[in-house]
Amino acid sequence: MPKIFLALFLQMLSLVGLAGLVMVAPQWIEPPYSAFWLVLVHSALVLSLTIVVRMNRWWWLIQVLLPWMWYWALMLKVDPWISLGVFILVVLVFANAFSNRVPLYLSNHVTRKALKKMVAEKFDLYRPVRFLDIGSGFGGNVFYMHQLPQVSESHGVETAPIPYLVSRVRQWFLKTFTGRLKLDANAALTKGSPEQDDLTQAYEENRVSSPKILARDLWKYPLIEYDFVYAFLSTEPMPRLWEKVVEEMPVGSWFVSNSFPVPGVEPTEIWQLSDRRETILYLYQIAPSHL
């Protein structure tokens, strides 16, 4: 059962339990009962059920907040159309949480610097790198990686409507007002030696296209053309995603997962970053033993 439907079922079950308590409570507590205490009991019931069925901890907060959001909406007499609009907006932003059980996680600048470091350390200097961000959100990683001279292609796949739309608008804006989205290789490298000049020319010749954000289902999008695939998803899709990675990505390529390791698979390397949330990157180099 998709987690969103399980969460709603637990909310309804908690309401049934609350109704039962209200029916028997007059034996000990004189009615009427304030809405505040009813919501408090409802929150406690739904939190208990959510823990019992072992939903992820981020669901605990959502389950507790929902009854209080309903409560404050009633207290403040919020127009139902506003509530509907907010609900639609949330669905459009977090659409992947309903289909693939993947919330919208955004990579920070420290993580992007680590990805840049990985390109420099894990790939041959003269080899063009093809990068893909699975679940690219607002496109920040895609645009950043395209600036690296060694990255010949930088793509992202995103199906949540609003993040996809925002990323496309960002792409148009940057093209329109900056002229291009990549740094000039001549500016990124210090000229002076024939080797450096050859490297600059090689980077320019290897540059294939502008960064692209694609509204494609990650399960149907082929990975065979990419040397470097990055994902910041959740625990739910990792086993299935790993099967796709080892089936499609070429030997020697790299798959990097932010925060969520592949169950039962030993990472090639683990990088602990020095940001506030102490991000962990799990690096997997595709080897013949994985096939």
Side-chain angles (χ1 to χ4, degrees), residues 128-145:
V129 177
R130 296 161 296 184
F131 172 80
L132 175 68
D133 185 358
I134 296 178
S136 54
F138 299 121
N141 296 333
V142 177
F143 302 136
Y144 178 86
M145 296 297 285

Side-chain angles (χ1 to χ4, degrees), residues 120-195:
E121 293 184 359
K122 302 302 181 185
F123 296 93
D124 183 87
L125 190 61
Y126 283 89
R127 176 184 175 183
V129 177
R130 296 161 296 184
F131 172 80
L132 175 68
D133 185 358
I134 296 178
S136 54
F138 299 121
N141 296 333
V142 177
F143 302 136
Y144 178 86
M145 296 297 285
H146 184 75
Q147 296 180 44
L148 306 183
Q150 196 174 345
V151 175
S152 62
E153 293 182 82
S154 183
H155 298 163
V157 291
E158 178 59 60
T159 54
I162 287 184
Y164 172 74
L165 179 61
V166 170
S167 63
R168 292 303 300 269
V169 169
R170 289 181 65 185
Q171 182 176 356
W172 171 85
F173 182 87
L174 290 171
K175 278 186 176 181
T176 302
F177 293 98
T178 67
R180 59 182 176 178
L181 291 174
K182 70 181 184 69
L183 293 177
D184 194 319
N186 291 301
L189 297 171
T190 302
K191 298 183 66 177
S193 68
E195 292 80 7

Side-chain angles (χ1 to χ4, degrees), residues 186-213:
N186 291 301
L189 297 171
T190 302
K191 298 183 66 177
S193 68
E195 292 80 7
Q196 290 171 333
D197 292 343
D198 290 344
L199 186 58
T200 298
Q201 182 178 357
Y203 284 153
E204 290 296 339
E205 291 175 352
N206 288 328
R207 180 71 62 179
V208 174
S209 63
S210 299
K212 294 180 181 178
I213 309 295

Side-chain angles (χ1 to χ4, degrees), residues 88-105:
I88 292 174
L89 180 64
V90 170
V91 169
L92 292 176
V93 172
F94 297 97
N96 289 326
F98 306 112
S99 57
N100 295 319
R101 304 178 187 178
V102 178
L104 178 63
Y105 292 127

Side-chain angles (χ1 to χ4, degrees), residues 37-38 45 55 86 133 139 148 175 181 203 218 226 237 267 269:
W37 288 105
L38 292 175
L45 288 174
M55 296 183 73
V86 171
D133 185 358
L148 306 183
K175 278 186 176 181
L181 291 174
Y203 284 153
L218 70 90
Y226 295 98
E269 295 182 26

